[in-house]
Structures are given as C-alpha cells and as structure tokens.
Amino acid sequence: MKKSILLLAMALVVSIVSLAQNDVLNKALQKEYKTKMKEFKKGGWEIFGSSRSLDVALLNHYDKLNKGGDGVYEIVGIASAFKSKNIGRQIAMNNACVIYSSQAGSLIKGRVVSDMGADADNLTVEFDHFYAAYERAVEKEIRGEIKESFSVIRQNKDGSYEMQSFFIFDEDGALNARMRAFENAAKESIAAQKYADIISKYINERVDPSEPPMEASQAPDAILTKDM
C-alpha cells in the first residue's frame, strides 16, 4: 500500500514538473512569436506565395520547430534587390543552401586542421581543393532536404523587392546529404581519399546554420564527439 502511494506521489510530481516546463516553454514561444511579428510589421514584410496569413504561417513554423525537437533546424535565405518575385524566391533558396554548405565546409576544415596538424599543412593545396568540392556538393545535396516553411516579401523605394524565406530541415536528411556530398567530393581529391577515415568522422557532426562558421584557429585541440 505504501509503495503504491509512493509511486502515485512520484507520478504526480513528474506530471506537475512536466506541466510547469510546458507552461514556461509556451510563454517563451508566445514571447518569441510576438517579437517576430512586431519585427515583420515594423519592417513592412508581408506573406508571399501563401493563402494563409502571416500570423498563421509563423505559428505553424514555430510549431514544426518545437515538435521536431533538437533534430529539426531553421535556416533563413535572403534575396535582395530583385524584380521578379519567382527569381527572388530562387535566390533565397540558393542563399540558404550556400549558408549551410559554407558552415559544413568550415566545420570539416576546422576539425581536419586540428586533428592532422602538420600533415594538413603539408597538404594545404590538395585539402583546399577538397573543401571547395565538398561545399559545392553539400550545396547541391542539401537543396533536396530543406523545405520552405514560409516566405515574406517587401518592396523597396526603387520598385525592387526583398525576400526572406524560412526553411526547415531535419538532421537525418542533412546527414545523408553530407554523406553523399563527401563521397562525391572525395572522388576529386587524392588527399581526401587517403584520409577518408579521419574526415568521415566529422561528417556525422551536426551543422547548425544559426552558428557562425568555424575558423581553423577556433578548432578544438582534440576530436569532439557530439551527442546525436
């Protein structure tokens, strides 16, 4: 009997803590939503390419990010000073892919320089060729993994437009894209083929486009393994 009461009490405590955490999260999300909507309205941004209102589009966007947990990311593509709205949308998509590929390339370069030290210095030209090929391949492969959530647009005084496109992607799809990119880029680099086992370790590390690209000087002294 005492054991049952104890278990019931523990379950009640867990439930109360969970409700409290959800309440805090909901308040934080509401604050974030209000801040972003205020930013959009102040900047003169309007929803583009959707029959939904900007309010609903933003709420749905945050809901996708929240339900996806740590494995779902946001990336924002920017397009400036364009006349054709469809071209602007494509530019924003390209920009998002470039942002991601640059971050992925910087992460690999930072890890390789840190782990290989002098060996990497001796192969600088060959590795630079690989990094460039890898970034091009990632830019191509990630295109099929990021999904447009919504876009906003505004008109400039000269009649041209600006656009922000908000994309969502999950880490599983992004990892597959990075693996395909590595396989393709390695074909163009003898150094990458020689050190494939070392380089491939870092492909599994998450690439967060919200973080600034890693410089080689910022790389840790030892191999880092992130919890996936």
Side-chain angles (χ1 to χ4, degrees):
M1 182 67 177
K2 290 182 179 180
K3 186 176 180 181
S4 298
I5 294 175
L6 179 60
L7 290 173
L8 181 61
M10 290 175 63
L12 183 59
V13 169
V14 171
S15 178
I16 292 173
V17 171
S18 179
L19 288 173
Q21 290 176 336
N22 287 336
D23 186 52
V24 171
L25 177 61
N26 287 333
K27 287 181 179 178
L29 288 173
Q30 286 233 344
K31 183 179 179 180
E32 188 175 3
Y33 162 76
K34 289 178 180 178
T35 300
K36 198 65 181 179
M37 279 301 303
K38 184 177 180 180
E39 177 187 318
F40 282 146
K41 289 178 180 178
K42 185 177 180 180
W45 295 98
E46 299 178 349
I47 191 75
F48 173 74
S50 174
S51 61
R52 312 299 294 271
S53 68
L54 181 53
D55 299 67
V56 172
L58 183 58
L59 284 172
N60 284 337
H61 179 70
Y62 284 146
D63 186 55
K64 293 173 188 175
L65 289 173
N66 185 37
K67 289 180 178 179
D70 293 337
V72 174
Y73 292 82
E74 169 193 82
I75 185 168
V76 183
I78 306 295
S80 303
F82 57 88
K83 295 290 186 179
S84 168
K85 295 179 181 179
N86 288 331
I87 290 177
R89 197 173 205 169
Q90 189 59 52
I91 292 173
M93 162 68 89
N94 293 342
N95 179 244
C97 293
V98 168
I99 290 172
Y100 186 89
S101 63
S102 296
Q103 182 74 341
S106 295
L107 187 150
I108 292 296
K109 185 174 183 178
R111 295 291 189 256
V112 168
V113 170
S114 174
D115 195 36
M116 296 184 62
D119 286 342
D121 291 337
N122 294 333
L123 294 166
T124 297
V125 175
E126 188 60 41
F127 269 122
D128 284 346
H129 179 70
F130 165 71
Y131 300 140
Y134 178 67
E135 287 191 21
R136 289 195 302 271
V138 170
E139 182 182 342
K140 177 182 177 181
E141 295 294 341
I142 199 64
R143 190 175 299 271
E145 302 299 338
I146 62 174
K147 310 298 180 186
E148 183 182 357
S149 184
F150 72 100
S151 293
V152 291
I153 192 170
R154 68 181 177 187
Q155 190 168 22
N156 298 316
K157 292 181 179 180
D158 63 359
S160 65
Y161 294 94
E162 293 179 71
M163 183 178 291
Q164 297 182 60
S165 292
F166 293 76
F167 300 92
I168 285 179
F169 66 93
D170 65 76
E171 173 55 21
D172 289 341
L175 174 58
N176 289 334
R178 296 196 303 274
M179 291 297 294
R180 293 193 299 269
F182 171 66
E183 291 173 359
N184 291 329
K187 296 175 183 177
E188 302 181 31
S189 170
I190 295 175
Q193 294 170 21
K194 182 177 180 180
Y195 296 99
D197 290 341
I198 293 175
I199 299 173
S200 62
K201 295 176 184 177
Y202 311 124
I203 304 299
N204 289 314
E205 292 194 34
R206 294 183 184 183
V207 176
D208 186 347
S210 67
E211 297 178 354
M214 173 186 286
E215 299 294 336
S217 60
Q218 296 174 312
D221 293 331
I223 299 174
L224 296 182
T225 303
K226 288 188 176 182
D227 295 330
M228 297 301 289

